[in-house]
Amino acid sequence: MTDDLRSEIIRLARQFHESRPPAPFVPGETYIPPSGKVMDADDCANLIDASLDMWLTAGRYADQFETEVAAIFGRRHAKLTVSGSAANLLAFACLTSWKLGEKRIKPGDEVITVAAGFPTTVAPIVQYGCLPVFVDVDVETHNVDVDLLEAAITPKTKAVMIAHSLGNPFDVQRVAAICKAHNLYLIEDCCDAFGALVGGQHVGTFGDVATLSFYPAHHITMGEGGAVLMNSPLLAKIAESFRDWGRDCYCKPGVDNTCNKRFGWRLGDLPKGYDHKYTYSHIGYNMKVSDMQAAVGVSQLKKLDHFVARRRENFAGLERRLRDAGLEELFHLPVPTPGTDPSWFGYLLTVRDGSGINRNLLTKTLEERKVGTRLLFAGNLTKQPAFRDVAYRVHGTLDNTDKIMNDSFWIGVWPGIDEARLDYMVETIASVAAEIRG
């Protein structure tokens, strides 16, 4: 009876979701957001199924998601957490653990990164007392200049932590080789690049740890959520400790005595036999997800290949339309990093010098005409108020970073954008650009 009732509730949830058709697109009236989620009845069914368990914290769906996402990447371990930003914090934190001995990252160590990106790729470096070393990017791929990265290495350098920008991989093969040659950790922020490939290999598999985000703007969603990927069993255990309050115990929620000596440990200066469930080996956090979030993620994961393909199709559709409209003369169009197959997060346009276009006026007018835009996140982090009192070092100049800060913006390629929307987006960009130029 209980199983039949559950099945009926889930059936009705599917029916409810399917009873709400999407609103028709009206050019100039319907807003085209630069990012968004695509949900279906399967997502709704999984969400309801998990909620009926009333388990609430991480459970069976979280276990399933971690197993399946690790398998996609060919990684041994995936640790689910509350957001992509939390995943970045968790990834960096685990590399500071005393359990790594002399290899651990310590306060005062240098970490090479870029200033043209999202703040929480860099924030953990600062939060753990390390020095961010910023190097410039190139305008076409909007990714790190690897020559500058290599030249920025000093005896104090301990790691490289960089994102694959807007789903376009940086030259991760070369960066990984540099890190290996200099004995540096590589942290790949793949939050905007789930599904991107380099030489047929997933980004997120070249470094020591990698991160993903499942915010609604990203390639798949569970509302809020993120994950850290790694091969090392030691790093996996450390990451789980930092995520779960810093505890030394590795039992799953609701489970006791996995180690079979819960009252037999002697750690730190605690008395022998102190309950292992309340023994802490790190200064940690509570970054666990609910099983309802994970349930949506399990369903979304089945559609990943389709979502990535649609993003690539929309990127190609925008590129074709922009070139046909002659807009390449006014804007730098994005270029895939050689040897890669990006999983595009957005389509970045950078106003060319001498074009007569003011980026701010352009994006303001596009928004008024219902074409959603975003900047390349923080632009130049060193100019942000949050970094006013932060110690950092710049190797060389950040001229291209400043160019992107002043002249770049991106528009959407997410799967909810169709041909009619692509037409309207490019037609509107062309007409607004012509108006601004007079």
Side-chain angles (χ1 to χ4, degrees):
M1 176 63 182
T2 302
D3 288 344
D4 291 343
L5 186 57
R6 177 186 284 259
S7 297
E8 178 64 9
I9 291 169
I10 293 172
R11 185 190 68 79
L12 290 171
R14 287 179 178 276
Q15 182 178 326
F16 174 78
H17 181 90
E18 292 168 345
S19 71
R20 300 180 299 166
F25 172 63
V26 181
E29 295 183 17
T30 306
Y31 183 67
I32 305 173
S35 59
K37 62 187 185 297
V38 175
M39 311 292 288
D40 63 16
D42 291 338
D43 303 324
C44 184
N46 269 32
L47 177 63
I48 297 302
D49 184 41
S51 68
L52 291 174
D53 290 343
M54 294 299 287
W55 179 250
L56 304 185
T57 189
R60 63 185 175 101
Y61 275 113
D63 290 345
Q64 181 179 347
F65 186 90
E66 287 183 339
T67 298
E68 291 181 357
V69 79
I72 287 173
F73 285 86
R75 300 285 86 178
R76 294 175 65 182
H77 304 282
K79 298 300 175 183
L80 194 51
T81 187
V82 293
S83 70
S85 296
N88 282 340
L89 178 59
L90 188 58
F92 195 85
C94 74
L95 298 177
T96 71
S97 171
W98 59 270
K99 292 189 176 186
L100 299 177
E102 289 302 310
K103 290 190 65 178
R104 72 186 182 99
I105 297 175
K106 301 180 292 297
D109 287 339
E110 294 184 353
V111 180
I112 299 174
T113 186
V114 299
F118 202 74
T120 54
T121 305
V122 177
I125 302 169
V126 177
Q127 289 161 334
Y128 274 88
C130 298
L131 189 79
V133 177
F134 294 113
V135 296
D136 211 356
V137 298
D138 70 80
V139 172
E140 277 73 27
T141 71
H142 37 92
N143 270 307
V144 63
D145 184 320
V146 182
D147 289 337
L148 292 174
L149 183 154
E150 187 168 23
I153 296 171
T154 74
K156 293 184 177 180
T157 307
K158 206 64 175 282
V160 172
M161 184 171 184
I162 301 179
H164 298 282
S165 181
L166 291 181
N168 190 16
F170 59 83
D171 188 351
V172 68
Q173 291 173 314
R174 186 176 167 202
V175 172
I178 290 169
C179 288
K180 183 177 181 181
H182 292 272
N183 197 28
L184 308 177
Y185 287 117
L186 174 57
I187 306 162
E188 290 182 73
D189 181 341
C190 305
C191 291
D192 294 346
F194 197 173
L197 303 172
V198 178
Q201 181 177 336
H202 277 279
V203 298
T205 61
F206 293 87
D208 297 278
V209 286
T211 61
L212 294 168
S213 174
F214 310 123
Y215 188 70
H218 290 271
H219 293 66
I220 65 167
T221 188
M222 54 178 69
E224 301 283 357
V228 181
L229 304 163
M230 69 285 285
N231 260 352
S232 164
L234 176 59
L235 287 181
K237 185 175 180 181
I238 292 169
E240 189 171 295
S241 172
F242 273 104
R243 184 193 66 182
D244 299 4
W245 306 284
R247 66 180 186 164
D248 199 75
C249 174
Y250 44 85
C251 291
K252 292 185 178 297
V255 177
D256 293 335
N257 208 23
T258 302
C259 63
N260 292 318
K261 54 174 185 175
R262 177 179 167 187
F263 300 104
W265 291 87
R266 180 161 193 169
L267 298 172
D269 295 324
L270 293 169
K272 183 175 177 8
Y274 196 83
D275 191 346
H276 194 226
K277 286 184 71 70
Y278 292 98
T279 300
Y280 302 90
S281 51
H282 298 100
I283 306 298
Y285 313 91
N286 181 2
M287 295 182 178
K288 298 191 305 303
V289 298
S290 73
D291 220 40
M292 288 85 76
Q293 291 171 268
V296 174
V298 166
S299 175
Q300 286 268 298
L301 208 54
K302 294 179 172 64
K303 297 177 275 284
L304 174 66
D305 289 346
H306 169 69
F307 288 161
V308 171
R310 287 289 299 121
R311 287 174 175 273
R312 289 173 177 152
E313 290 167 4
N314 283 339
F315 182 94
L318 283 174
E319 181 176 51
R320 183 176 63 255
R321 288 170 171 83
L322 288 162
R323 291 188 188 279
D324 289 346
L327 291 173
E328 189 180 14
E329 297 178 6
L330 303 179
F331 301 99
H332 295 276
L333 305 186
V335 175
T337 301
T340 74
D341 192 2
S343 179
W344 297 105
F345 185 69
Y347 194 101
L348 189 78
L349 292 159
T350 303
V351 176
R352 290 187 183 274
D353 293 341
S355 67
I357 294 175
N358 177 282
R359 193 274 313 275
N360 290 352
L361 178 57
L362 176 63
T363 54
K364 178 177 182 293
T365 309
L366 289 175
E367 290 283 349
E368 290 170 353
R369 298 186 189 179
K370 307 302 182 182
V371 176
T373 66
R374 291 290 185 270
L375 305 186
L376 188 55
F377 310 125
N380 181 342
L381 279 169
T382 70
K383 309 289 188 183
Q384 290 281 348
F387 279 74
R388 185 171 294 143
D389 298 319
V390 168
Y392 60 84
R393 180 167 69 83
V394 174
H395 178 81
T397 70
L398 298 179
D399 291 343
N400 287 341
T401 300
D402 285 338
K403 171 69 177 172
I404 286 170
M405 175 180 66
N406 290 309
D407 291 328
S408 296
F409 70 99
W410 57 272
I411 54 178
V413 297
W414 62 286
I417 293 177
D418 57 14
E419 294 290 312
R421 288 172 172 82
L422 293 178
D423 287 340
Y424 180 75
M425 290 161 69
V426 175
E427 290 165 5
T428 305
I429 291 170
S431 62
V432 173
E435 291 171 18
I436 291 173
R437 299 180 76 212

